[in-house]
Amino acid sequence: MSMEEEEENAHTLPPAPATVSPSISRKISIHQLVEADRAQNIPAVLQRTPALINSHNKEGYTPLHTACLKGLEECVQVLLQVGMNQSPKIEINAKDSTGWSPLHCASLNGHLACVELLIQNNADVNAVTNNGSTALHYAASWGRLDCMKILVDAGCKVDQRSTYSGQTPLHVATSKGYTHCVNYLLQKGANVIEVDTRGRSSLDLAKIEAHEDIADMLIEYKRMVPWYRRWKAFLCCQGSGELYSALPASPVKPDRLRRDSAPVHRDISLLST
């Protein structure tokens, strides 16, 4: 098991929820309140001790980490509302010992509402862990397409390479066999020839893992790239602004897309002729 996989497993196994009495006690920590999903009691605790908003528990998580890890939307909302209007303010990009931010935790576990709340409050979508991975890497690793779309739309880099393995989100989605995620990343212009630290491209990984559908898709994509670039250059030189702007971000043919993928302009089929 690689270091990256060990980190993923650690962040998909949150601590067991604590049992908290309905009455608030000064002995009950804010972390226990979050773990027990008692969002209504959080403001009172922070009013007494505002600094607890950024405190770390023994796992290295802030209250926001824990809420995002478990997908506790109401707790995330309360923490952000209170934390943005107090001193000290909430550290929305706080990191645990492995460099994971709350956005990494929410994206890995597919908690879409939490991802949206974090991004709405200006979370850094390109924050990286200690191994250089973004939230998009982990969303791709578990096939969280909805989270991937939100991250990319918010400006997350599609071709960010992990400093540990050198893999991009496309490598990760390919090796796990998530065809719908690979499809989406190709639509967004992912670099199909990028290699990891072991010199393997996404196509190499597709062949190694025997993901034939993905291998076929990547081969077709690579074949179409030169034609696509020439076509864009031609339209640009001809001043055909309307046609140029109608082209998709990458040369993915419509008949290769799955139902959950965004539509692609059909003029791109000209590139394969």
Side-chain angles (χ1 to χ4, degrees), residues 172-203:
V172 175
T174 297
S175 64
K176 295 294 183 71
Y178 293 125
T179 306
H180 59 305
C181 294
V182 171
N183 221 336
Y184 173 72
L185 290 169
L186 292 179
Q187 289 181 61
K188 293 300 178 179
N191 186 351
V192 74
I193 62 174
E194 187 75 71
V195 296
D196 62 16
T197 54
R198 298 173 64 181
R200 301 173 303 180
S201 67
S202 298
L203 179 56

Side-chain angles (χ1 to χ4, degrees), residues 2 42 74-75 83 95 108 126 160 169 184 207 213 241-242:
S2 70
I42 292 174
E74 188 177 356
C75 284
K95 295 188 175 184
L108 171 70
N126 287 304
Q160 175 71 36
Y184 173 72
K207 292 178 178 178
D213 286 350
E242 184 176 347

Side-chain angles (χ1 to χ4, degrees), residues 84-95:
M84 290 294 183
N85 295 286
Q86 68 163 40
S87 181
K89 290 186 178 296
I90 189 170
E91 295 177 7
I92 197 169
N93 297 311
K95 295 188 175 184

